[in-house]
Amino acid sequence: MLCYIHIQTQQSFNTKNTNMGEIWGVIGSKLASILFMWAMVQRYCPHQIHALIEKFSQKLANFFYPYVEVKFFEYIGDYYRTNEAFTFIEYYLQSKPTNQAKKLRGESLRKSLVLKMDESQEFHDEFEGINVVWSLRKIVPNTKSVSFYPADEKRYYLLTFHRGNRDLVSETYLNHVLEQGKDIGLSKRQRKLYTNCTSGDSDMRGKWSHVIFDHPSSFETIAMDGKKKKEIVDDLVTFSKGKDYYARIGKPWKRGYLLYGPPGTGKSSLVAAIANFLKYDIYDIELTNVKTNAELRKLLIGITSKSVVVIEDIDCSVDLTGQRKTDSENGNEKDEGNDENEKDDKSKVVAASMIQLKAEANRNKTSQVTLSGLLNFIDGIWSASTGERLIIFTTNYVEKLDKALIRRGRMDMHIELSYCCFDGFKMLAMNYMSVETHPLFDTVRGLLEETNITPADVAENLMPKVANEDVETSLERLIRALRSSMEEAKKKAEKTEESTGGLEDNKTLLQEEIDNGKS
């Protein structure tokens, strides 16, 4: 058939009076005839004939294009989980000379400029005598909605090589690329701070967006008791080297930390110091932006290994208290006091009104995350999807949290961050004034033992207020702040004592009146 078309076309070309319109008309009619005949073959020929034709067409395609293509997408699965192979390939290609590509992307990495391959650019790599080609591609979804999150665009690395090198590429070369990329990434990777997306688009729910994490906090600069600091560091080191141990005891490779204490005691700084010490990424979850337990689970699936999962001020994020007892009919919260039978109709009406108000409040809640959903997030079956993960809760009021949420096994280590001690002060003095000792240190020590002040307040007083401020001026300002805090504490205690004394006097008078009445 192809020969027939070729002959007819040649004859048409050789005709003296032929013009371009007639040539295209001949080609079009012949192609239409082929398509018609192919449709008839597909409709009426047996399945065996179809298989033979497909096999022949495949051989013909392989003859003209003897190459194999492999795609490595940036995100995999319905939950858009990060594909570590994509990341390792990116690090590997960054380590190679970039003189082949004409279009590059420049990014800042640890105060140095890094050039990356741009879309549709090719990189030729050689390995044990074979040549392969890498290129970065992108699939843009056909949608009119506007969004700024990377999960909308499906980026992938395309590897192209000759089919004769399939075994060497799949068994040796790719392992070489992934191992090299992993080693490079561990030493040079730019760590990230993730947060859950808050887009109104429902498709973006349960996905992560990120910025570069470049927080300077470290255990060398954080103001904390030296003994407690060493305890935390030792625990982190043990955890980071515990892969085989956790596998042997049959537990997921994760650990929970509960940081609690008054505001300004350095809970967020400690989180940053932990991430910097372990060289982990941070996933900061805003629970008020999580609609359902299913969305929370979707976020969990998207968290990679070597990560610190943080929920700050968990006592203020969503209402996780009092959810254990619910009304069996409508699932609304129910107080323990409602278990008792009401004694009169008036109290029953009041109780019914309270239940109705609580039901309305529940319907209007932004987040429907429950205590059960959060517990499953911490140590349920889904929590074992990725290893080497720290989960950290911070709170100012630990007594408000449900006991099941902070029990050992979920929050393995409870770390109280209290008011500034003298060791913490010395660390802050070194950080802010670069001094290890001063005659006024003894005065500061005595005042710190008698009053409560947060490390944040100490740091604010030590920070120079004018250029070239001397050390003595900063320390005197701190001493005045400590004495002022001590006086306020004494006045508050006196008012409390007076109030308590007044109550006792009223109680005595009331008792005397009762006794006189009885007499």
Side-chain angles (χ1 to χ4, degrees):
M1 184 182 296
L2 293 175
C3 295
Y4 171 75
I5 295 173
H6 178 71
I7 293 171
Q8 292 294 326
T9 306
Q10 281 297 118
Q11 292 177 354
S12 299
F13 287 172
N14 293 332
T15 303
K16 296 181 180 180
N17 297 325
T18 342
N19 54 34
M20 290 301 297
E22 293 176 347
I23 294 174
W24 286 111
V26 171
I27 295 175
S29 64
K30 300 307 177 184
L31 289 175
S33 299
I34 293 174
L35 293 176
F36 175 76
M37 294 178 64
W38 175 244
M40 293 300 101
V41 169
Q42 286 184 316
R43 183 170 183 178
Y44 297 107
C45 287
H47 175 72
Q48 292 80 357
I49 302 298
H50 290 177
L52 289 174
I53 294 175
E54 291 179 0
K55 184 177 180 181
F56 175 76
S57 61
Q58 185 66 33
K59 288 185 177 180
L60 188 64
N62 291 336
F63 177 78
F64 287 103
Y65 190 78
Y67 296 99
V68 178
E69 295 181 348
V70 182
K71 295 179 180 179
F72 299 88
F73 283 91
E74 185 174 9
Y75 299 97
I76 54 178
D78 295 336
Y79 290 99
Y80 280 90
R81 184 174 181 178
T82 302
N83 185 5
E84 291 187 348
F86 180 94
T87 305
F88 295 156
I89 292 170
E90 186 173 46
Y91 288 136
Y92 174 80
L93 295 178
Q94 287 178 18
S95 66
K96 299 295 181 179
T98 57
N99 52 8
Q100 298 180 17
K102 296 182 180 180
K103 294 182 179 179
L104 301 171
R105 291 184 294 116
E107 296 183 4
S108 176
L109 177 61
R110 293 186 179 178
K111 300 181 181 180
S112 62
L113 184 64
V114 176
L115 299 179
K116 295 184 178 181
M117 181 187 301
D118 200 7
E119 284 84 0
S120 302
Q121 297 298 298
E122 293 186 350
F123 175 80
H124 296 262
D125 194 17
E126 183 177 351
F127 179 78
E128 295 186 2
I130 66 170
N131 294 314
V132 299
V133 180
W134 289 99
S135 60
L136 180 61
R137 305 292 178 88
K138 180 172 62 176
I139 300 176
V140 180
N142 187 16
T143 177
K144 296 181 180 180
S145 62
V146 179
S147 182
F148 302 96
Y149 297 105
D152 287 342
E153 299 178 349
K154 296 181 179 180
R155 297 196 308 162
Y156 64 91
Y157 278 108
L158 179 66
L159 172 64
T160 306
F161 55 91
H162 195 277
R163 64 172 179 264
N165 302 322
R166 179 191 292 268
D167 293 338
L168 181 59
V169 170
S170 61
E171 296 177 3
T172 307
Y173 175 70
L174 285 178
N175 290 333
H176 165 75
V177 171
L178 297 180
E179 290 177 2
Q180 290 286 325
K182 184 177 181 180
D183 293 339
I184 295 171
L186 291 176
S187 60
K188 297 183 179 180
R189 77 185 183 101
Q190 196 168 29
R191 289 178 296 113
K192 301 173 182 178
L193 172 61
Y194 291 85
T195 185
N196 47 308
C197 299
T198 59
S199 172
D201 187 358
S202 59
D203 293 337
M204 294 309 302
R205 291 289 175 182
K207 299 177 183 178
W208 296 99
S209 61
H210 70 268
V211 296
I212 301 304
F213 178 69
D214 193 21
H215 199 287
S217 179
S218 66
F219 281 104
E220 287 73 22
T221 60
I222 196 168
M224 183 186 293
D225 177 71
K227 183 178 179 181
K228 182 178 294 185
K229 185 186 302 185
K230 183 179 184 304
E231 182 182 356
I232 297 173
V233 170
D234 292 343
D235 189 79
L236 292 173
V237 172
T238 303
F239 169 78
S240 64
K241 298 179 180 180
K243 180 179 181 179
D244 296 336
Y245 173 77
Y246 279 88
R248 181 171 61 83
I249 64 177
K251 291 184 62 177
W253 190 10
K254 64 180 183 61
R255 191 158 176 81
Y257 282 10
L258 174 66
L259 310 184
Y260 65 96
T265 51
K267 293 183 287 294
S268 298
S269 297
L270 180 57
V271 172
I274 290 174
N276 285 328
F277 179 78
L278 294 175
K279 296 182 173 61
Y280 285 3
D281 294 327
I282 293 183
Y283 288 79
D284 184 15
I285 300 179
E286 180 55 56
L287 281 182
T288 55
N289 292 329
V290 182
K291 295 293 185 181
T292 62
N293 291 336
E295 185 179 321
L296 184 63
R297 184 166 57 248
K298 190 175 182 180
L299 287 170
L300 176 66
I301 297 300
I303 298 175
T304 62
S305 60
K306 295 185 178 299
S307 59
V308 177
V309 184
V310 183
I311 302 180
E312 291 196 276
D313 296 322
I314 190 171
D315 55 294
C316 302
S317 297
V318 292
D319 184 12
L320 299 174
T321 60
Q323 294 184 357
R324 291 184 171 274
K325 294 189 176 183
T326 59
D327 183 63
S328 59
E329 294 181 359
N330 54 28
N332 297 323
E333 295 179 11
K334 185 177 181 183
D335 295 332
E336 294 181 4
N338 291 336
D339 292 337
E340 299 179 357
N341 295 326
E342 304 296 341
K343 295 183 179 180
D344 50 38
D345 295 337
K346 183 178 179 180
S347 59
K348 289 181 179 179
V349 172
V350 173
S353 300
M354 291 297 295
I355 292 176
Q356 185 176 359
L357 290 173
K358 290 181 179 180
E360 186 67 24
N362 280 340
R363 284 193 292 269
N364 295 332
K365 282 197 306 183
T366 303
S367 175
Q368 298 297 326
V369 174
T370 64
L371 177 61
S372 174
L374 186 58
L375 296 180
N376 288 329
F377 175 86
I378 301 172
D379 63 353
I381 295 177
W382 287 88
S383 66
S385 58
T386 303
E388 199 169 0
R389 178 189 298 160
L390 281 178
I391 301 176
I392 301 179
F393 291 165
T394 71
T395 179
N396 297 332
Y397 307 100
V398 66
E399 64 277 359
K400 291 184 178 181
L401 300 181
D402 193 290
K403 299 301 181 183
L405 187 64
I406 60 176
R407 69 164 176 82
R408 304 293 178 174
R410 290 194 174 109
M411 294 293 104
D412 304 282
M413 194 171 185
H414 294 191
I415 303 173
E416 181 181 7
L417 299 179
S418 187
Y419 296 101
C420 187
C421 61
F422 186 66
D423 287 341
F425 159 74
K426 290 195 297 184
M427 179 62 66
L428 292 172
M430 175 59 67
N431 295 340
Y432 285 86
M433 303 183 299
S434 301
V435 294
E436 295 183 357
T437 183
H438 191 275
L440 292 177
F441 274 22
D442 292 336
T443 304
V444 173
R445 181 201 291 270
L447 292 172
L448 287 175
E449 292 175 353
E450 297 181 12
T451 186
N452 293 329
I453 187 171
T454 65
D457 290 332
V458 173
E460 178 62 26
N461 284 282
L462 292 179
M463 184 177 294
K465 305 304 179 184
V466 295
N468 300 324
E469 184 177 81
D470 57 14
V471 174
E472 188 170 351
T473 301
S474 299
L475 289 175
E476 288 177 350
R477 181 169 54 247
L478 174 61
I479 291 173
R480 288 194 299 270
L482 289 170
R483 288 172 176 168
S484 175
S485 177
M486 185 184 303
E487 291 176 0
E488 291 178 2
K490 288 181 179 179
K491 290 179 181 179
K492 185 176 180 180
E494 290 175 357
K495 288 182 179 180
T496 304
E497 185 177 354
E498 290 177 0
S499 176
T500 304
L503 290 175
E504 292 294 333
D505 293 340
N506 292 335
K507 184 177 179 181
T508 303
L509 292 174
L510 180 60
Q511 187 64 40
E512 290 179 355
E513 290 178 1
I514 292 174
D515 295 339
N516 293 332
K518 289 181 179 180
S519 62

